[in-house]
Amino acid sequence: MSDWPEGRNGGPGERYGRGSASPQPESARAMPHVRRRPAPPQSPPRIPPQQQQGQGYDDGSGYDSGYNTGQVYGGGHGGGGRGGDSGYVQPRAAPNWGRRIKVGALTLVVVVLAVSIGTYFWADGKLKRDVDLSKVIDRPSEGDGTNYLIVGSDSREGMTAEDKKKLHTGSAEGKRTDSMMILHDGSNGPTLISLPRDSNVEIPSFKGSESGKMFEGTGRQVKLNAAYAEDGPELLVRTVEFNTGLRIDHYVEIGFGGFAKIVDAIGGVELDIPKAFKDKKSGADFQAGKQTLNGEQSLAFVRTRYAFAGSDLDRTKNQQKFLAALASQTATPSTILNPFKLYPTMGAGLDTLIVDKDMSLWSLGNMFFAMKGVTGGEGTSMNIPLSGQSVNGNLVWDKDKVKQLVEQLKNDEKVTVKGS
């Protein structure tokens, strides 16, 4: 006997609907809609401590829902958290410092290389390669090492009236050589030789730098700086080579304004002045002792001649001393590695620097560091050997000593000749 009431679903043997004995299911019957009251709010289930650590939720029936606090979905292989059914969160992989260092180093190299290349082309574009040494005729044979003719001109190009007044340069038109030096850079250390502008020399035959016309030598005896005034750098090189027998490989010239700007760009040059002196014409007014000279003071220092008993000879010694100090204090890590000092210094010098057509930045850099080495252990600085004065008051070179000096330079031997 069935315990189910008649007409109720679920009785024994009743498979469809409300208990019909028919082998086919009866049609669907509409069910009345029952409106239920909303369930009263319930407190959230208490999450066991282990699930607060990222494990799946377990309702007591052994079922792991995979839900957890802070769980990242898809991190594991089961319904649990990362790491599978255990719910264990795998630690984050340690950074690959070796790879990061390699990438950082490569990036630094690329940046440094790009800056260096950019600086090279920037500086190379500023060089004024106006001097053509191929116009110089009858040149001496080449020797060992490299010979630079370094010229300080009194050019006022680019200077305002205020600049000329401040630097005591005057307002003369054109330009003349204020100082001339030969710098030999070789395996036995650099040698710097000053050529006094009052040196008595012969103007040889030459080809005009502008006209290309040949001028035959007549044996004219003039001051060395007259060669520059007559036909510029090319004739000056021709005259120096003719009177010394030494081949000049490169020519470098800088004017008053550029000289002062370089000094100011590096923050001044420190010098030890042994004796106080004044000179109204150059504007010099120095006390004895160590002091830092700015651009204006530096120009006055290297131009002063009337305050000294040796006049031009004493001035050339001061010029050598100053240029060596300038190079030594410029070619330092604090300048080369500091773009805020390097670029203003290079810009100030390159804006007024005139060189020969074959001068490269590499050769210019070698000259600069050779100048710095003049004051080093193997460096030598001197005036060209003199034997006295001519009837017109010009300084006469000692031909025998000059010949010996030139032979030592050509053969790149250690210089033993003493200058004046």
Side-chain angles (χ1 to χ4, degrees), residues 271-392:
L271 277 184
D272 188 0
I273 300 177
K275 186 178 180 179
F277 65 90
K278 288 184 178 183
D279 182 22
K280 290 184 178 179
K281 290 192 175 183
S282 67
D285 185 3
F286 297 104
Q287 300 298 317
K290 285 187 177 182
Q291 50 205 287
T292 299
L293 278 58
N294 61 24
E296 177 184 351
Q297 294 170 323
S298 298
L299 190 57
F301 180 83
V302 300
R303 295 184 61 222
T304 298
R305 61 185 301 193
Y306 297 105
F308 308 125
S311 188
D312 203 36
L313 291 180
D314 286 341
R315 180 174 72 161
T316 57
K317 292 176 182 178
N318 279 344
Q319 289 171 347
Q320 291 178 345
K321 179 179 180 179
F322 183 87
L323 289 178
L326 173 63
S328 180
Q329 294 174 38
T330 303
T332 60
S334 62
T335 298
I336 296 175
L337 300 179
N338 183 353
F340 297 103
K341 292 185 69 175
L342 176 63
Y343 285 96
T345 302
M346 292 179 65
L350 296 173
D351 280 342
T352 57
L353 203 65
I354 298 174
V355 299
D356 63 274
K357 292 185 179 299
D358 295 326
M359 175 72 83
S360 66
L361 284 178
W362 180 261
S363 296
L364 190 62
N366 285 340
M367 184 204 78
F368 189 75
F369 280 95
M371 182 73 74
K372 178 182 178 180
V374 167
T375 55
E378 296 182 350
T380 302
S381 61
M382 58 190 290
N383 278 316
I384 197 163
L386 301 173
S387 61
Q389 289 184 325
S390 65
V391 292
N392 55 9

Side-chain angles (χ1 to χ4, degrees), residues 153-166:
S153 77
D154 63 0
S155 171
R156 283 87 172 165
E157 183 179 354
M159 296 175 63
T160 64
E162 184 180 352
D163 291 334
K164 294 174 184 177
K165 182 178 180 181
K166 178 181 178 182

Side-chain angles (χ1 to χ4, degrees), residues 144-151 180-186 189-195 240 246-252 320 323-324 327 359 363-375 378-382 409 412 415:
D144 296 328
T146 305
N147 300 312
Y148 301 85
L149 180 60
I150 304 172
V151 175
M180 290 160 283
M181 303 177 187
I182 294 174
L183 174 64
H184 174 81
D185 184 19
T191 302
L192 184 62
I193 306 163
S194 286
L195 309 176
V240 170
L246 183 68
R247 186 184 182 96
I248 300 300
D249 299 299
H250 292 294
Y251 177 91
V252 181
Q320 291 178 345
L323 289 178
M359 175 72 83
S363 296
L364 190 62
N366 285 340
M367 184 204 78
F368 189 75
F369 280 95
M371 182 73 74
K372 178 182 178 180
V374 167
T375 55
E378 296 182 350
T380 302
S381 61
M382 58 190 290
L409 294 177
D412 204 15
V415 173

Side-chain angles (χ1 to χ4, degrees), residues 101-341:
I101 292 174
K102 289 180 181 179
V103 172
L106 181 60
T107 302
L108 179 61
V109 169
V110 171
V111 170
V112 171
L113 185 61
V115 171
S116 299
I117 293 175
T119 300
Y120 178 89
F121 283 104
W122 167 78
D124 188 74
K126 279 183 167 289
L127 279 179
K128 298 178 181 178
R129 296 182 172 93
D130 297 339
V131 180
D132 189 356
L133 296 184
S134 67
K135 295 179 180 179
V136 180
I137 64 173
D138 300 333
R139 309 196 67 188
S141 60
E142 294 184 0
D144 296 328
T146 305
N147 300 312
Y148 301 85
L149 180 60
I150 304 172
V151 175
S153 77
D154 63 0
S155 171
R156 283 87 172 165
E157 183 179 354
M159 296 175 63
T160 64
E162 184 180 352
D163 291 334
K164 294 174 184 177
K165 182 178 180 181
K166 178 181 178 182
L167 299 175
H168 301 272
T169 64
S171 299
E173 294 298 327
K175 59 180 181 179
R176 287 151 293 278
T177 52
D178 204 61
S179 61
M180 290 160 283
M181 303 177 187
I182 294 174
L183 174 64
H184 174 81
D185 184 19
S187 58
N188 280 290
T191 302
L192 184 62
I193 306 163
S194 286
L195 309 176
R197 69 178 188 175
D198 293 341
S199 296
N200 194 76
V201 297
E202 179 183 340
I203 297 292
S205 58
F206 67 96
K207 180 190 291 186
S209 59
E210 296 295 333
S211 66
K213 180 181 177 181
M214 287 296 302
F215 295 88
E216 295 298 327
T218 61
R220 283 187 298 140
Q221 302 288 314
V222 298
K223 291 181 179 181
L224 180 58
N225 65 344
Y228 183 96
E230 186 172 332
D231 197 48
E234 286 85 357
L235 180 54
L236 177 61
V237 171
R238 167 73 174 130
T239 303
V240 170
E241 290 186 341
F242 177 82
N243 286 270
T244 63
L246 183 68
R247 186 184 182 96
I248 300 300
D249 299 299
H250 292 294
Y251 177 91
V252 181
E253 177 187 327
I254 190 167
F256 283 160
F259 181 84
K261 288 178 181 178
I262 291 175
V263 175
D264 287 334
I266 66 171
V269 174
E270 185 179 76
L271 277 184
D272 188 0
I273 300 177
K275 186 178 180 179
F277 65 90
K278 288 184 178 183
D279 182 22
K280 290 184 178 179
K281 290 192 175 183
S282 67
D285 185 3
F286 297 104
Q287 300 298 317
K290 285 187 177 182
Q291 50 205 287
T292 299
L293 278 58
N294 61 24
E296 177 184 351
Q297 294 170 323
S298 298
L299 190 57
F301 180 83
V302 300
R303 295 184 61 222
T304 298
R305 61 185 301 193
Y306 297 105
F308 308 125
S311 188
D312 203 36
L313 291 180
D314 286 341
R315 180 174 72 161
T316 57
K317 292 176 182 178
N318 279 344
Q319 289 171 347
Q320 291 178 345
K321 179 179 180 179
F322 183 87
L323 289 178
L326 173 63
S328 180
Q329 294 174 38
T330 303
T332 60
S334 62
T335 298
I336 296 175
L337 300 179
N338 183 353
F340 297 103
K341 292 185 69 175

